[in-house]
Structure formats: C-alpha cells, structure tokens
Amino acid sequence: MRATLAIVFCLPLVLTGCELASSNAPTADPGLAIQGSVHGGQQPIVGARVYLLAAGTGGYGGQSSSLLLSTGANTVQDKFGGATNNDYYVSTGAGGAFSISSDYNCTPNTQVYLYAVGGDPGLGTGANAASGLMAALGKCPSSGNFLTSVSPIPYIVVNEVSTVAAAYSFAGFATDPTHVSSANTTLALTGVQNAFANAANLASIGSGSALATTPSGGVAPQGTVYTLANILGACVNSNGATTGPTNPTACYTLFTNATSDGTPTGAQPSDTATAAINIAHHPGANIDNLWGMVPGVPAFGSGLTSEPNDFTLGIQYTGGGVNAPNFIAIDGIGNAWITNSGASSVSELSSNGTAVTPAAGFTGGSIDGLSSVAIDLAGNAWIANDHLSGGSVVELSSGDTLVSGSNGYTVGNLTSPYGIAIDASNKAWVTNSLNSSVSVLSGSGLSISGVEYTDSALSTPYGIAIDQAGAAWIANNAGNSVTKLSNLGAVLSGPNGFTDPSLNSPDGIAIDHSGNAWITNSANSSVTKFSSTGTILSGSGYTGGGLNNPNAIAIDGSGSVWIANLLSQSVTQINNSGQIVSGANGYTGGDVDLPDAIAIDGSGNVWIGNLGGEGVTELIGAATPVVTPLAAGVANNSLGARP
C-alpha cells in the first residue's frame, strides 16, 4: 500500500510539508484508499496538515496512535509544530484536497479518525494556526477501505460539521484531538467502537452535512449540529487571532468559553477541535456567549433559530416497539433494553439505535405491567412484571429468546414486583411493592431456598441496587427510608432503616464507586446521598438544577450522578461532590418528554426513557463511559468506574 497522487512535486522533506496538487473536485483513483478535502464552512483550506490517527489503548488520557508512514508524500513533524515525534501528515492543496493511499498501517477494528491542523482559509491573511478539524472514519477494515459501503474509494469532507460529530461521539475517551484513548479491555474497546459508530448518526462525512434522520430512522439533532458548526466556523474562518477582551476576536471568544472544565479558570484550547471536545464535555456551560458567536450569515443553514438551553446532542429513537418506556438497562455490548409501559413489551436497541427486537417489541412469556429490567452476567435481560394479581419475572436471552417459559418465573412469593437488580452470583433481587418484601431468584429462576426477605422498615419498596460487597439497598417509597440487606438477607440498616428528613417518597437508587448510595426523592424533588454505613452525606438533600419529581438515577464512570426529572422535562447532572453541573434547568436536548428512565452506556451516552412519548433519547457523549451491565460492575468491583 503506497500513496500515489495525481500530480505531486515534493522537495526534500522539510518541516513545511508537501503540498498536494489537485483539482477542486478530485476524481476517484483506484490506487487511493482515502481522499477528500478540508473546508472551513464552504471555503477550502489550503496547506492544512492532515494526520491519520487511531484511538490509543494505553489507558484513559493516553495519546492517540499516528498511522501515516514515512514516504515521499508525507512529512514528519510533531502535531503542534514542536520536536519531531514520528507523526507524519499530508498537506492539503488546491481546493483543500488531500489524498492518502496505503502509506499507513492500522490494525483491523482499531478506531481511526482524521485530524487537520492549520492551513489558509482563503481570507488573504495567511494560515490560521487555531483551525483544528476532525472526521471519525470508524474501525480500520480487515479488507477494503473505510466506508466501502458508501464508495469503493471514500471521499471525506473534513469540516466543522464532521468535527462536531467526531467530538461528541468519542468525547468520553478524548482529552483533546491527539489524546483519544481507553483501557485495553474488551468492554472499553467495545465502548470506543460503539462511540465512533455513533458519529454516523450525526453527520455524513462523505458530504460534510448534518443528518436530520439517522440511518436507523432516529431523529437526529441537525439544527444543533449546524449551530455548533457555525460557532466553530467563526474561528476557523478567521486569521486565528486570540486578542481580547476589548474587541474580542472570534477565536478569543470561543477559547475563553470552551475551556477544559467549562469555567473561566479552566485551560483554554489552542484549536477549534479541542474547543469542540470541551463543549461536548460541558454542554451546559457559557451558552449565551457561545450562541452569540453564530454569524449573521452562517456558513451552514438549518441551524437553531433561538438560543438553546444547552448544547447536548440528543437523538430520538422509536423503533423496536418503544412505547412510553419506563426503565432502561445497558448490556455488555452497549445494547439498550427498554420496558414499555405503553405496550407491555420489551425493546432492545443496538448502541446506534437500530432495533434488535421486532417492530412491536418482545411480548411473549406473560409480559404484562412491566416495571424494571436488569442485565445478568450472561447478557440476559430480567424483567419485573408488576401484575396486580401477583407478579412474575421474565428472562430473555441476548437474542430475545424466552428463557423463563410461557408464564415467567413466579416463585419466591413475587407480589407486584417493582425493582430488580443482579448480584455477582447472578442472583436476581426483586422488590415486591404490594407485600413489602424482597424475593431472590437464582440464575436459573429458582427461589433461593424459598427465601423472601422482610423487615419492619420495608414499606412499598421500589428501587433496588447491589453494592460492591453484594449488599442490597432498597428505597422504601412509603416508609421514607432506605433498607440495606447483606447478601444473605441480614438487615444492616437497623430496625428503622437509614432515615433522613430529606427522604420523601424515595424511588430510584444507585451505588457509586465508593459504595455510597444515591436516592431520588420524587415528592420533594431532591437527591439524598448515604455513605456505605448509612451516614448522611448530602446535608438537607441536593436540590435545584431542574430537579422536579426525579425518579430514575444512574452513575457514570467519573462518579457523576444523572437524574431523570419527570415533571421538568430535563435531565440533571450532579458531580460526586453534590454540585449541579448541568445548569439551572438541567439538560433538555433530544426533546425529552416526561423522562422516567435513565442509563449510561460504555461509550458515555445517556439513554433516557420518555414516558410521555413513544421514544427514547440518547444524549451523545454527554457522560463518562461506565462498566456495563451493572452486574459486571458489582462482580468486578467496578461500579461507577470506566471500563
């Protein structure tokens, strides 16, 4: 595999690079593996340095791998013009065109992207060192080329739209454009692959345009993507000056409002691609100032017509029978399992929103009155069926094959089962809201020696979660308390359970990496945090940030807590110290409608069930990737940790 160019004249290798001679619209050459152009808005960028990089596997925060080899068409230079670091690039020529053929090595299934730095945007002021643009290509193919399903020789448009799609899709693994990396574990590599694939739900890199509809039929946030692209474009299509605050330049405004932590004291980016990643990490920060950067005549049309609440990118999916969803769980390959209260069915969506279940969802096995779902260590889904006349638990294999028989599991005195969680031994713990008890089923659906745990503090138990020690934590909705049971059913929370004045109709519960329990209180719109020993850590309860009748709760890989607010049509993010980081109103991207379910996947996407509508919303790259399913986090002592 060797790079060949239509017309190339190179001087001996120097740090200024080798410029490609090409027409504005190069034709496909059977010898080329990748060709394309770099544009700022609708203007070609000439002289940009284009790097071909792969996500690293040396740990989070590690450096990406540079894939281009030393050939006559490539120049060796550090990514930011410093000392030589074996990072080769090709330069864009006339029309912003570039060509890369086989002068690179990439391992099949590693995740690859383009990063274009600098270049002249054609303003007559020379090169713009602040211009940084990206495009996610996806996994290195074992044969053929990238995007072979689109074209035998892929043509890639690298612009602000492709940059937004890339930045958000792999934000959970990115520190900046040259540090996109994860651990070298199966779960982490799966999460990275799914993350890169999600870029194709936001934009077409073959045309450099934002999508209105995803390939699977989801509703994509086209207007928000174009708006973000226009904000980046204000800096890309300039001379790159960063002077201010008096008469601030576009790049100054962007870099001071897209810092590493979203605050004025955070590290400022040095290019627009880093700014895009920072905005993806902090989508609720500095909205007024960023919105003010949208040009009067934007380069990309169809942007938002009014200032948004936040810059989350939410995709809505309705396939696979999704109908008024009320609980979501994520399995080890990133698929979302959804219980549908509007249709008494279960839906399974792949990580990119493609329906795995039939059009009507799964409806067999006596599924009815569904409440919650949990995934076991084999990837099977366990569903609690809240029958008023009794109750059952249904088990489905990862291929939607019924495991639990035509009537489901009915042992263990199941009575209106509500919450369900799986422990490290693959046992299913089920709360029975009607008779205020907890049933425990073996991995094969048998009652554990007929055990049904009861306690004087158990009172209409709803949410349940298992901690790293195997103990079960239960939110008592009617008792305004939390019960903690050992893995053998011994009461660890005293005769009255753990109590606090902030507990008021507690519903959802989740455990963080330190073993602390976080509980949503639907009646007073607050969140309570207990230590592993039952000490209150949240003062009088965390409030604000859009919290309004919060029910579902989930924790991501950095310990941030995500809450679905049923009555404020929003999602609140709280850091592990209890500080609201999602703004005064929470996040509202993706048209959430009575959100009643929430889960985080291994790519850092936030899945939200909209009880008031037919769909689920996926906030792309908003969270930190976390170990899935939760049972794996329990078994490996990695709850609330990155994969």
Side-chain angles (χ1 to χ4, degrees):
M1 294 171 60
R2 177 64 58 187
T4 58
L5 306 175
I7 303 175
V8 179
F9 299 95
C10 291
L11 297 173
L13 287 180
V14 292
L15 292 182
T16 54
C18 170
E19 181 173 296
L20 309 187
S22 175
S23 64
N24 288 350
T27 57
D29 183 328
L32 299 179
I34 304 172
Q35 59 182 353
S37 63
V38 178
H39 277 69
Q42 308 304 318
Q43 288 293 113
I45 299 178
V46 178
R49 305 190 304 274
V50 181
Y51 298 90
L52 186 67
L53 305 175
T57 57
Y60 296 93
Q63 189 154 338
S64 305
S65 300
S66 184
L67 302 181
L68 287 176
L69 305 176
S70 175
T71 73
N74 302 331
T75 299
V76 59
Q77 183 181 22
D78 183 76
K79 296 176 183 67
F80 294 107
T84 295
N85 193 35
N86 292 323
D87 298 320
Y88 297 89
Y89 66 83
V90 296
S91 296
T92 58
F98 67 89
S99 295
I100 299 171
S101 61
S102 307
D103 54 334
Y104 65 90
N105 288 328
C106 69
T107 304
N109 297 320
T110 55
Q111 303 305 308
V112 181
Y113 62 105
L114 292 167
Y115 176 40
V117 186
D120 187 344
L123 302 176
T125 56
N128 178 359
S131 176
L133 300 168
M134 302 184 296
L137 303 185
K139 64 180 180 180
C140 176
S142 56
S143 62
N145 297 301
F146 293 100
L147 304 182
T148 51
S149 62
V150 177
S151 171
I153 307 299
Y155 185 85
I156 309 300
V157 176
V158 185
N159 64 3
E160 294 90 342
V161 171
S162 68
T163 301
V164 171
Y168 273 74
S169 64
F170 56 63
F173 304 94
T175 303
D176 58 49
T178 63
H179 292 81
V180 181
S181 186
S182 73
N184 192 23
T185 65
T186 299
L187 280 177
L189 297 179
T190 298
V192 173
Q193 177 173 309
N194 291 343
F196 270 72
N198 244 341
N201 276 341
L202 297 173
S204 165
I205 58 173
S207 63
S209 58
L211 299 179
T213 305
T214 73
S216 66
V219 178
Q222 184 184 57
T224 308
V225 172
Y226 276 142
T227 297
L228 287 164
N230 286 323
I231 290 170
L232 299 180
C235 176
V236 171
N237 295 288
S238 75
N239 62 7
T242 55
T243 54
T246 302
N247 297 319
T249 64
C251 293
Y252 175 88
T253 302
L254 177 63
F255 294 168
T256 54
N257 288 283
T259 60
S260 59
D261 62 2
T263 72
T265 59
Q268 293 186 17
S270 60
D271 75 337
T272 52
T274 306
I277 291 171
N278 290 348
I279 294 171
H281 288 163
H282 306 284
N286 305 315
I287 302 302
D288 288 347
N289 292 336
L290 292 172
W291 171 256
M293 291 185 62
V294 177
V297 182
F300 301 99
S302 304
L304 300 175
T305 57
S306 61
E307 181 176 341
N309 175 74
D310 54 81
F311 280 123
T312 53
L313 294 183
I315 301 175
Q316 274 202 341
Y317 304 113
T318 57
V322 175
N323 191 335
N326 59 353
F327 208 91
I328 302 174
I330 309 295
D331 66 20
I333 61 174
N335 288 2
W337 293 76
I338 303 142
T339 58
N340 300 301
S341 63
S344 291
S345 66
V346 176
S347 300
E348 182 185 1
L349 303 182
S350 73
S351 61
N352 66 358
T354 301
V356 179
T357 44
F362 185 89
T363 57
S366 191
I367 285 179
D368 184 30
L370 302 89
S371 51
S372 57
V373 58
I375 310 299
D376 70 16
L377 295 172
N380 292 351
W382 293 66
I383 299 102
N385 290 288
D386 186 8
H387 301 297
L388 292 178
S389 59
S392 67
V393 170
V394 171
E395 181 185 3
L396 300 176
S397 74
S398 57
D400 293 326
T401 300
L402 186 63
V403 177
S404 50
S406 59
N407 297 316
Y409 302 133
T410 57
V411 297
N413 198 22
L414 293 167
T415 308
S416 293
Y418 186 95
I420 189 166
I422 308 294
D423 69 14
S425 300
N426 233 30
K427 299 194 299 290
W429 293 65
V430 187
T431 58
N432 298 299
S433 61
L434 193 60
N435 67 3
S436 295
S437 67
V438 175
S439 300
V440 183
L441 306 182
S442 72
S444 57
L446 300 175
S447 176
I448 304 297
S449 301
V451 170
E452 177 197 11
Y453 298 133
T454 59
D455 176 54
S456 58
L458 285 170
S459 180
T460 314
Y462 275 9
I464 183 169
I466 311 296
D467 68 16
Q468 292 91 326
W473 292 72
I474 300 111
N476 297 302
N477 188 261
N480 294 330
S481 67
V482 173
T483 297
K484 181 180 180 182
L485 302 176
S486 77
N487 196 252
L488 298 177
V491 177
L492 303 177
S493 48
N496 299 314
F498 297 138
T499 59
D500 184 75
S502 65
L503 289 172
N504 196 335
S505 298
D507 192 333
I509 189 165
I511 310 296
D512 68 20
H513 192 57
S514 299
N516 303 316
W518 296 73
I519 302 100
T520 58
N521 300 296
S522 59
N524 65 5
S525 297
S526 70
V527 174
T528 302
K529 179 183 180 182
F530 285 107
S531 75
S532 59
T533 57
T535 301
I536 191 70
L537 300 176
S538 51
S540 57
Y542 300 130
T543 58
L547 288 171
N548 192 345
N549 200 283
N551 290 328
I553 186 168
I555 295 175
D556 71 14
S558 61
S560 280
V561 182
W562 295 77
I563 303 110
N565 300 301
L566 187 70
L567 297 184
S568 64
Q569 319 288 20
S570 69
V571 171
T572 300
Q573 181 188 2
I574 304 176
N575 69 18
N576 204 255
S577 299
Q579 298 170 316
I580 303 289
V581 296
S582 51
N585 302 313
Y587 300 134
T588 60
D591 296 324
V592 292
D593 185 6
L594 297 180
D596 194 41
I598 196 164
I600 315 296
D601 69 19
S603 301
N605 305 311
V606 182
W607 292 77
I608 304 151
N610 298 305
L611 189 63
E614 296 182 351
V616 294
T617 296
E618 181 187 18
L619 298 183
I620 305 299
T624 302
V626 73
V627 170
T628 59
L630 291 178
V634 171
N636 301 321
N637 192 28
S638 54
L639 276 177
R642 290 182 290 193

